[in-house]
Amino acid sequence: APLVCLRGIGKAYDNGVAALDHFDLDLREGELLTLLGPSGCGKSTALRLIAGLTEPSRGRIDWRGAQAARAGFVFQEPTLLPWADVFANVYLPLRLEGVARETAAPRVREALARVGLADFESALPRQLSGGMKMRAAIARALVTRPSLLLMDEPFAALDEVTRFRLNDDLLALKRETGTTIVFVTHSVYESVYLSTRILALAARGGAIIDEIEIDADIAR
Ligand code: ADP
Ligand code: ADP
């Protein structure tokens, strides 16, 4: 069964903007789905709907397939607490759940190792490069062991070389953990490189204009 089903979704904001219209999606377990389209086409709105962070104006969303799932979020801005070191930043979601520091420590270190930051747990955000800050934000999203990772243009602000490396590391993460990932991007290159499936959105009006399945054997 799909993790999340969206049926006949319409989303209009208070200002009358129709961000999505007739949007349908069955999110499959283990896929890396990209939502592709130009700025303003409704990608972030779709991601927020999948996350349950915003209500649709029309249609239904069914999370029954994801009852045991937890979602982790990564946005374009890493939004690390500047006064807290990398360990404390990654520990934060578990701390908010009341998990003691000693109990959390192995999971924090596992998440840091997964993103290549094992040696940086005492560093402050300002001591890190842009790519490393993003790695810390990914570790923070992973520390709760989510089965669904929602990423909104996470690498768009990074230089091309860093972005390329993070794309490869994301593919390795997916291979090794099986996490289902929804990835928002306006880069055709990035969507083709990463995805098992691409949903392309129209520039205006929020309709899906194309759905492309990528044959894993050809793609990688
Ligand atoms: P994308 O992520 O593809 O850039 P968004 O989902 O952010 O697109 O936005 C889709 C459309 O909805 C845009 O026209 C945007 O200006 C509008 N929009 C997004 N969020 C809001 C909001 N909170 N209030 C009003 N309009 C919004
Ligand atoms: P990323 O691709 O993660 O942004 P960079 O290209 O910025 O990484 O850096 C490459 C490597 O250089 C990092 O993996 C790290 O080992 C090292 N490095 C970068 N910035 C720092 C720093 N502020 N302190 C120590 N080592 C660093």
Side-chain angles (χ1 to χ4, degrees):
L3 278 186
V4 184
C5 296
L6 287 78
R7 283 286 175 279
I9 296 297
K11 175 69 183 177
Y13 286 105
D14 293 343
N15 58 3
V17 171
L20 289 177
D21 194 28
H22 295 99
F23 186 89
D24 293 304
L25 169 65
D26 282 343
L27 185 64
R28 307 169 194 153
E29 193 159 359
E31 74 175 329
L32 199 164
L33 175 77
T34 53
L35 302 174
L36 172 68
S39 182
C41 75
K43 305 182 296 294
S44 300
T45 299
L47 199 71
R48 287 199 299 269
L49 284 162
I50 293 167
L53 292 175
T54 188
E55 294 263 305
S57 314
R58 283 188 309 283
R60 299 180 284 113
I61 305 178
D62 180 350
W63 288 278
R64 264 176 302 181
Q67 257 170 5
R70 304 215 259 182
F73 292 90
V74 181
F75 302 102
Q76 187 172 323
E77 287 298 318
T79 61
L80 302 172
L81 301 176
W83 58 83
D85 66 17
V86 166
F87 184 100
N89 269 286
V90 173
Y91 169 40
L92 186 64
L94 295 177
R95 189 177 163 198
L96 293 175
E97 286 181 14
V99 181
R101 190 181 166 95
E102 309 78 70
T103 314
R107 284 168 64 181
V108 171
R109 297 206 166 103
E110 178 194 311
L112 287 173
R114 160 106 28 232
V115 299
L117 286 183
D119 296 334
F120 292 89
E121 62 176 62
S122 304
L124 289 170
R126 67 166 179 275
Q127 299 172 305
L128 303 179
S129 67
M132 293 165 87
K133 278 187 226 161
M134 180 49 67
R135 290 170 191 280
I138 294 171
R140 182 183 53 195
L142 292 175
V143 79
T144 58
R145 297 188 180 137
S147 46
L148 179 57
L149 191 56
L150 303 171
M151 310 182 85
D152 195 348
E153 308 230 26
F155 309 147
L158 302 172
D159 67 83
E160 284 289 302
V161 175
T162 302
R163 191 169 182 173
F164 186 72
R165 229 191 269 148
L166 282 163
N167 279 336
D168 270 349
D169 291 349
L170 185 64
L171 288 175
L173 171 92
K174 181 176 172 299
R175 238 183 355 256
E176 288 157 19
T177 64
T179 311
T180 307
I181 302 173
V182 184
F183 189 100
V184 164
T185 183
H186 57 255
S187 161
V188 174
Y189 150 75
E190 194 166 55
S191 65
V192 170
Y193 192 72
L194 288 175
S195 304
T196 53
R197 183 159 66 123
I198 301 171
L199 283 189
L201 294 175
R204 280 166 193 283
I208 295 169
I209 52 172
D210 210 350
E211 176 177 342
I212 303 148
E213 300 274 352
I214 311 235
D215 185 326
D217 295 334
I218 294 172
R220 289 180 269 291

